[in-house]
Amino acid sequence: MKKIDLLQSVSLFWELSKEELGHIADKMVSSHFENGNYIFLEDSEGEKCFFVVEGSVKVTRLSKDGREVILTIMNPGDFFGEMSLLDGESRSANVIALEKTEVLTLNREDFLEVLHEYPTIAIQLVKEMAGRLRKSDRQIASLSLSDAEKRITMCIIRFADDQGVIKNGKVSIPKTPIQQDIANMAGTSRETVSRALSILEKEKFIERNGRELIILDYKKFIKEFDS
Ligand code: CMP
């Protein structure tokens, strides 16, 4: 496929004409990676920005005890490696191919020039980065859940599996057990259940309407808590 066609799948470039896309595509270089290949390492110097056109990659860091923490997974249309080009710091994370992957790359100078030349791309970039920050904020909030609170989310998933009804893309649990019963199932106190449900509601994972509990994005809920 021609570079320009590949670029049309990248959200950053959606507002550009074919001619403008062609201008940017001319500056880009295609690279291929196999499953498990490191695309770059955390703390290395940032030289390029990457646009995924095929396959997928994981963005990872190592925890203090040496475990791999996956910050996010990127698919076709996503981009990565912009942070160190923007702030001049080193790479904030590792990026590793999860399958056969093709990326288009733009070097630092061209990337910064494109942002100056096309303000619509710069605005899209800021929007995308705001979305990423929101996701990270949610992730941090869920990390602060204790084990008991995690068990409560597991109970909610179980109720959804048992009695969930799909309604406008959301999963409704029409008759959630009372908080004391949830507490008994999760091996915790009613107060902890009450607190956990309030956090989940505040973080917009669920809505409550009397006994009805609605999971606003079931896939996301599962991804966040079913690990
Ligand atoms: P950079 O720091 O240059 O290299 C690692 C890249 O991973 C980074 O740019 C971002 O593109 C991406 N990245 C780092 N942290 C996150 C995150 N929390 N969510 C999504 N992408 C991230």
Side-chain angles (χ1 to χ4, degrees):
M1 217 197 289
K2 276 172 61 188
K3 267 194 268 176
I4 188 165
D5 295 323
L6 295 173
L7 276 189
Q8 278 179 325
S9 68
V10 178
S11 61
L12 274 192
F13 304 129
W14 279 348
E15 289 189 29
L16 264 57
S17 67
K18 270 219 155 178
E19 197 189 338
E20 291 170 322
L21 270 182
H23 181 58
I24 296 173
D26 285 344
K27 302 173 192 276
M28 289 187 157
V29 178
S30 161
S31 301
H32 292 82
F33 297 90
E34 297 295 325
N35 180 10
N37 283 171
Y38 274 75
I39 298 177
F40 56 71
L41 280 167
E42 182 180 347
D43 288 334
S44 58
E45 198 186 333
E47 289 158 354
K48 297 178 217 166
C49 185
F50 297 72
F51 302 86
V52 183
V53 290
E54 206 187 317
S56 56
V57 304
K58 58 180 175 180
V59 178
T60 76
R61 296 189 67 160
L62 278 189
S63 68
K64 276 202 181 118
D65 57 1
R67 278 181 307 116
E68 177 185 76
V69 178
I70 299 183
L71 301 177
T72 190
I73 291 179
M74 305 247 178
N75 294 298
D78 291 331
F79 62 89
F80 58 90
E82 77 295 347
M83 280 168 56
S84 50
L85 300 194
L86 291 169
D87 67 8
E89 302 272 325
S90 57
R91 294 293 192 197
S92 59
N94 305 295
V95 179
I96 304 161
L98 284 171
E99 58 190 301
K100 219 175 168 50
T101 294
E102 180 181 2
V103 293
L104 289 175
T105 63
L106 200 54
N107 70 34
R108 175 194 293 269
E109 204 185 310
D110 289 337
F111 176 71
L112 296 176
E113 196 184 292
V114 162
L115 291 184
H116 278 112
E117 212 172 324
Y118 301 100
T120 55
I121 298 183
I123 291 167
Q124 263 314 116
L125 176 72
V126 174
K127 275 191 194 166
E128 174 67 32
M129 290 180 84
R132 289 181 184 179
L133 186 57
R134 277 181 196 279
K135 282 186 196 152
S136 294
D137 287 350
R138 269 187 231 119
Q139 214 168 336
I140 291 165
S142 79
L143 286 178
S144 68
L145 292 178
S146 69
D147 281 353
E149 286 162 331
K150 278 198 181 124
R151 291 200 300 277
I152 292 163
T153 60
M154 299 320 301
C155 285
I156 295 174
I157 291 169
R158 195 163 136 193
F159 304 145
D161 287 345
D162 289 346
Q163 49 155 311
V165 181
I166 296 181
K167 206 167 106 180
N168 304 330
K170 304 169 181 176
V171 174
S172 156
I173 302 162
K175 265 195 174 175
T176 320
I178 57 166
Q179 290 186 0
Q180 185 60 60
D181 287 344
I182 300 176
N184 290 350
M185 276 179 79
T188 184
S189 66
R190 197 201 61 78
E191 288 73 15
T192 305
V193 171
S194 171
R195 193 160 52 89
L197 293 177
S198 298
I199 294 173
L200 291 169
E201 197 163 36
K202 207 168 140 226
E203 296 295 327
K204 305 226 179 317
F205 282 109
I206 62 167
E207 265 176 12
R208 284 183 290 174
N209 184 13
R211 289 282 297 278
E212 185 189 28
L213 186 150
I214 300 161
I215 301 177
L216 297 174
D217 184 337
Y218 189 62
K219 257 195 184 160
K220 197 172 91 189
F221 194 92
I222 294 278
K223 209 168 140 199
E224 196 85 27
F225 301 112
D226 193 8
S227 54

